[in-house]
Amino acid sequence: MALLALVLLAICLAEYLRHVDRLWIVVLEVIAMVAIVILAAYGLGYGPGAGWLPAVVGLWWASARTVPSWRVPGMVVSGIGALLALIASPVIERDRPPMLSWYEDLDVPALAGVSLDELVLAVITAVAIIGPANAVVREVLDHVGRGLLAEERRLKGGRVIGPLERVLVFGFAVGGNYGGVAAILAAKGILRFPEISKDEGDGSRAEYVLVGSFVSWFLALVLVPLF
């Protein structure tokens, strides 16, 4: 679980640090990303070697997001890397995490019974389902066809509502409040219904809302069973 958190951390760093064109800044970003991931791996009890898999996945994600023809393969490879990290996490040897002593000293009743790995994964997942998840949703819409991304310019709230919706759905689901999840999904359906009902022509607006919503909900819920 902790290794998966490191992979997601690397992807988040790659997503948020890639918007630069100058080569020397890019080099500094790469060094910073690798250093942060390896430092985080140390904090979670892993040796330096364990931090390189997440770092490589993050670098691949950043490269793929920069070159349009690499985007889908890059996302697929990054997803495979995350899956491999989840599978390998229980078998990779770890020392006692240096962060564990700090975490055990926290006097937060709400965290009672929550392991360090669960907390770290939850926090990083909440960040990952904002930026990187938005990139995945947009890529799916772009490849479904029929110009669905054109609807994004007319329904501009999607880029803001989507991340907020995913964070709330993830938070409610992890907390076991499935009524809250159902309420959010129902509220979105009610709010979007007037726009969908006015759809004209080829029905691309309704398809944009449906495809985007299902992909967004999947990304928000896919890791919930780990908690």
Side-chain angles (χ1 to χ4, degrees), residues 134 137-142 144-163 166 188 192 195-196 199 202-216:
N134 248 9
V137 173
R138 285 174 57 82
E139 206 61 38
V140 171
L141 290 172
D142 190 35
V144 166
R146 303 176 66 181
L148 295 190
L149 279 183
E151 293 299 327
E152 186 179 47
R153 291 189 287 271
R154 288 191 283 174
L155 303 177
K156 296 181 181 179
R159 296 193 68 178
V160 177
I161 294 174
R166 286 191 295 271
K188 180 174 183 178
R192 285 299 200 186
E195 295 171 330
I196 296 175
D199 201 3
D202 60 3
S204 60
R205 180 173 297 185
E207 190 173 356
Y208 165 79
V209 172
L210 291 174
V211 172
S213 295
F214 283 127
V215 175
S216 184

Side-chain angles (χ1 to χ4, degrees), residues 59-75 78:
L59 292 174
W60 181 262
W61 177 277
S63 301
R65 294 282 286 124
T66 303
V67 182
S69 61
W70 292 5
R71 285 176 184 168
V72 173
M75 290 179 180
S78 298

Side-chain angles (χ1 to χ4, degrees), residues 36-154:
I36 291 172
V37 172
I38 292 178
L39 183 62
Y42 169 77
L44 292 173
Y46 290 108
W52 284 105
L53 170 62
V56 169
V57 173
L59 292 174
W60 181 262
W61 177 277
S63 301
R65 294 282 286 124
T66 303
V67 182
S69 61
W70 292 5
R71 285 176 184 168
V72 173
M75 290 179 180
V76 172
V77 171
S78 298
I80 294 173
L83 179 60
L84 292 176
L86 178 61
I87 295 172
S89 191
V91 299
I92 293 181
E93 184 177 350
R94 295 171 65 185
D95 298 325
R96 176 180 170 82
M99 292 177 59
L100 187 58
S101 297
W102 165 81
Y103 180 68
E104 291 175 342
D105 290 338
L106 290 178
D107 187 16
V108 181
L111 295 179
V114 178
S115 70
L116 175 63
D117 287 359
E118 289 176 330
L119 177 64
V120 171
L121 181 59
V123 171
I124 296 177
T125 299
V127 177
I129 58 179
I130 298 176
N134 248 9
V136 174
V137 173
R138 285 174 57 82
E139 206 61 38
V140 171
L141 290 172
D142 190 35
H143 283 78
V144 166
R146 303 176 66 181
L148 295 190
L149 279 183
E151 293 299 327
E152 186 179 47
R153 291 189 287 271
R154 288 191 283 174

